[in-house]
Amino acid sequence: MHFSIPETESRSGDSGGSAYVLRKEYGANVLPAFPPKKLFSLTPAEVEQRREQLEKYMQAVRQDPLLGSSETFNSFLRRAQQETQQVPTEEVSLEVLLSNGQKVLVSVLTSDQTEDVLEAVAAKLDLPDDLIGYFSLFLVREKEDGAFSFVRKLQEFELPYVSVTSLRNQEYKIVLRKSYWDSAYDDDVMENRVGLNLLYAQTVSDIERGWILVTKEQHRQLKSLQEKVSKKEFLRLAQTLRHYGYLRFDACVADFPEKDCPVVVSAGNSELSLQLRLPGQQLREGSFRVTRMRCWRVTSSVPLPSGGTSSPGRSRGEVRLELAFEYLMSKDRLQWVTITSPQAIMMSICLQSMVDELMVKKSGGSIRKMLRRRVGGSLKRSDSQQAVKSPPLLESPDASRESIVKLSSKLSAVSLRGIGSPSTDASASDVHGNFAFEGIGDEDL
C-alpha cells in the first residue's frame, strides 16, 4: 500500500523535509511514499488511521535492506512515530515479558529505540553485553488462553514504548525471545548463567504450548531432567526435538496441497513447516527448505466483493496479506506456493533472517555482535537487577494432541495440483531474491 506525500509538504516540516531529502538520496523508486501529514490537528480517528498507515509503512521498509540499514532513514522514522502519537520525550516505565510470562519492568525514555530498550532489559537481567545480539524484542498479542500471537519483530528504528501504547489495547505486549535460528549458537548463550536461564525458560514455555513436538517418552525424560535441575542436559535433549526453536504462527490458509487448505505455519531450522489435515486423514506436515525457495514476495489483495464467499483465515472488509514463494519441488520443477495470513510480513522477515544467517555461516562469519553503545561507551547496568525465574515442572502431555505424520522431504506423498504464478500486480522490486538458493546442489534435492 502506498501513500502520496504532497510536494507542498515535502519541503516543510521536520518529517516532510526529511522525506524530501531521502527521496532525493535514494530515489522515488526505492523509497515508498510516506503517509502524508496534515496542517491541522488530527482527530482521534485520524491519529489511529495515521498510526496504522505508519505501521504498514515501517513493515514495508523493513523488506528493503538498503533502507533498513540507513541511519538517516531510521532517524526520520523515529521522529515520525513521536509526531504521529504526539508523545513528548520523558522517562517512563515499560513492561517487557519473558517467554514464560515473567515481567521485567525497565525505566526508558519514550524516544528510546528498540536497541536502547533491549539494552535496558539486558542490564536488568544482568545479561552480558556480548550476548545482547542473540535476543530480540517482539510485539505480540496475548490471547484469552494466555498464548502469544506474534505481530512483528520490533525493528531498530521503532520506539517500543510508542509502538505498544499507541495500540491502546492491553492485549499487546513486548516479549524478549532469542533472535537466531541455528541451535548451534545455543552454545554461546549457554556459557552464561543468565543466557542459559533465558533459553531454558523459553524452551519449557514452547513445549507447554505445543510448539515443540514431544512424544510421551521424550516428555518423561525432559521432566526427569527438570527435577534434577539439569538445565543444559534438558536443552541438549530439546535440541533434538522437532520444531525446537521454531516460531509458530496463527492458523491460516495455503494453496498447498490444494486451494484454501487450513494450515499452521512454523518457521525455524532454515525452513517453513506447514501442518495440515487432508480430508479423512490424520495431521500431516510438509517442510519447505529456505534453500529451495528461489524468491518470495508479500502482496495485499482487496476485500472480497459483496456476495462473495469467505474461507478460513479470510474475513470480509479487511485487506488480505499473502506470502508467495517459488519453490524447487524437484530438480527441474519450480512451483509457486501461497500462504494467506495477517502475519505474512512477519513470515517474510523470518525467511530473510534465516537466509541472512545462512549466508553469514557460509562466509565463515558469526552472528555474535555488539550493539551500539550508549553515550559514554559502556552499557549502563541497572542498580536493581532481576533474576530469571525457573519455570515450573512440565505438565502431563496433552492426550488430545495428535501425532504428526511427516511428509517426504520431496513432498511427493502429496498430490500437487498445478498452481499458477500469483497475481502479477506487484512490480519486480517487490520480489525478494534468495541468495542462499544459488548454493543448492543435487544433494539438497
Side-chain angles (χ1 to χ4, degrees):
M1 182 178 296
H2 295 293
F3 307 92
S4 62
I5 178 168
E7 187 68 18
T8 54
E9 290 186 17
S10 66
R11 297 176 185 269
S12 62
D14 195 11
S15 295
S18 299
Y20 175 75
V21 171
L22 286 163
R23 280 186 177 279
K24 187 175 181 180
E25 180 177 350
Y26 292 103
N29 293 331
V30 174
L31 184 69
F34 188 74
K37 288 170 51 178
K38 292 189 176 182
L39 299 178
F40 305 102
S41 298
L42 299 176
T43 65
E46 289 173 332
V47 169
E48 175 60 17
Q49 182 186 39
R50 184 173 170 82
R51 182 199 65 76
E52 292 178 354
Q53 293 174 347
L54 184 59
E55 181 175 317
K56 291 176 183 177
Y57 183 84
M58 290 190 296
Q59 292 190 65
V61 167
R62 175 60 179 84
Q63 303 294 295
D64 191 313
L66 176 65
L67 295 176
S69 61
S70 166
E71 177 54 34
T72 302
F73 193 72
N74 290 346
S75 177
F76 160 60
L77 282 179
R78 289 194 293 270
R79 288 195 302 271
Q81 292 170 77
Q82 276 193 285
E83 288 179 5
T84 297
Q85 295 302 322
Q86 301 174 348
V87 177
T89 298
E90 59 185 357
E91 188 169 335
V92 293
S93 292
L94 180 64
E95 181 181 275
V96 176
L97 301 183
L98 305 186
S99 295
N100 60 357
Q102 180 181 344
K103 299 177 181 178
V104 179
L105 200 63
V106 292
S107 179
V108 298
L109 295 176
T110 55
S111 58
D112 277 345
Q113 61 196 65
T114 299
E115 67 181 47
D116 297 319
V117 175
L118 184 57
E119 286 182 350
V121 175
K124 187 80 171 183
L125 298 174
D126 200 26
L127 180 70
D129 48 2
D130 63 337
L131 292 182
I132 297 176
Y134 289 77
F135 294 87
S136 293
L137 298 176
F138 295 83
L139 180 66
V140 303
R141 186 167 190 167
E142 190 172 18
K143 301 179 182 178
E144 292 183 359
D145 60 359
F148 294 143
S149 172
F150 282 75
V151 178
R152 67 175 183 275
K153 177 181 176 182
L154 294 180
Q155 305 305 318
E156 292 82 357
F157 48 74
E158 281 196 71
L159 310 182
Y161 177 83
V162 175
S163 292
V164 72
T165 57
S166 66
L167 292 166
R168 296 176 177 84
N169 189 328
Q170 295 299 317
E171 295 178 353
Y172 290 95
K173 314 283 185 181
I174 295 176
V175 170
L176 178 74
R177 187 178 174 87
K178 73 176 186 179
S179 60
Y180 56 90
W181 303 100
D182 190 341
S183 61
Y185 293 119
D186 284 349
D187 291 342
D188 296 343
V189 181
M190 289 165 60
E191 291 175 359
N192 174 262
R193 172 185 55 83
V194 178
L196 173 63
N197 289 338
L198 287 171
L199 282 185
Y200 177 68
Q202 176 178 312
T203 303
V204 171
S205 176
D206 287 356
I207 292 174
E208 287 285 17
R209 60 168 59 112
W211 285 20
I212 298 176
L213 309 182
V214 184
T215 65
K216 289 183 178 179
E217 174 58 24
Q218 292 167 338
H219 192 282
R220 185 194 64 77
Q221 295 176 24
L222 289 167
K223 190 169 184 178
S224 175
L225 291 171
Q226 269 193 304
E227 292 170 343
K228 298 174 184 177
V229 198
S230 301
K231 296 180 181 179
K232 284 189 177 181
E233 290 75 11
F234 180 97
L235 288 170
R236 294 298 183 201
L237 175 56
Q239 288 173 338
T240 67
L241 304 179
R242 183 72 181 139
H243 288 191
Y244 169 79
Y246 281 49
L247 198 65
R248 179 179 285 196
F249 300 94
D250 298 339
C252 56
V253 296
D255 62 1
F256 170 87
E258 57 190 23
K259 186 178 179 182
D260 291 336
C261 184
V263 297
V264 174
V265 179
S266 299
N269 193 30
S270 301
E271 69 178 16
L272 281 186
S273 162
L274 271 65
Q275 294 180 17
L276 54 104
R277 185 192 304 278
L278 298 177
Q281 299 185 23
Q282 66 187 117
L283 204 60
R284 291 177 175 267
E285 178 186 14
S287 299
F288 295 89
R289 302 294 298 175
V290 71
T291 50
R292 294 174 65 176
M293 295 180 187
R294 191 182 71 85
C295 60
W296 70 85
R297 67 185 176 197
V298 175
T299 58
S300 60
S301 57
V302 297
L304 290 171
S306 57
T309 57
S310 61
S311 54
R314 300 181 180 182
S315 57
R316 197 172 297 167
E318 296 181 0
V319 174
R320 223 167 41 225
L321 288 175
E322 296 178 341
L323 169 70
F325 55 88
E326 193 175 23
Y327 195 73
L328 189 64
M329 292 291 182
S330 60
K331 190 171 183 179
D332 300 315
R333 185 164 68 94
L334 286 163
Q335 182 170 326
W336 282 96
V337 176
T338 301
I339 300 170
T340 303
S341 166
Q343 296 171 298
I345 293 177
M346 179 74 178
M347 293 178 189
S348 174
I349 291 174
C350 288
L351 286 177
Q352 186 60 58
S353 63
M354 284 191 279
V355 169
D356 292 343
E357 195 170 294
L358 283 171
M359 298 308 293
V360 167
K361 193 170 184 177
K362 183 179 179 181
S363 65
S366 171
I367 65 167
R368 184 185 290 270
K369 62 181 180 180
M370 301 287 285
L371 297 185
R372 180 176 59 81
R373 289 282 183 259
R374 292 178 183 271
V375 177
S378 62
L379 182 63
K380 181 182 178 183
R381 289 291 165 185
S382 173
D383 295 330
S384 57
Q385 291 175 345
Q386 182 175 337
V388 179
K389 295 179 182 178
S390 184
L393 295 178
L394 290 169
E395 297 179 359
S396 299
D398 187 350
S400 65
R401 283 183 189 156
E402 298 181 68
S403 59
I404 300 176
V405 177
K406 186 79 167 66
L407 300 181
S408 74
S409 59
K410 289 179 179 290
L411 305 172
S412 57
V414 175
S415 176
L416 295 173
R417 299 175 58 183
I419 303 173
S421 172
S423 59
T424 56
D425 56 349
S427 65
S429 62
D430 293 320
V431 176
H432 300 271
N434 181 4
F435 291 105
F437 183 83
E438 299 174 353
I440 293 177
D442 290 342
E443 67 277 5
D444 295 309
L445 301 177

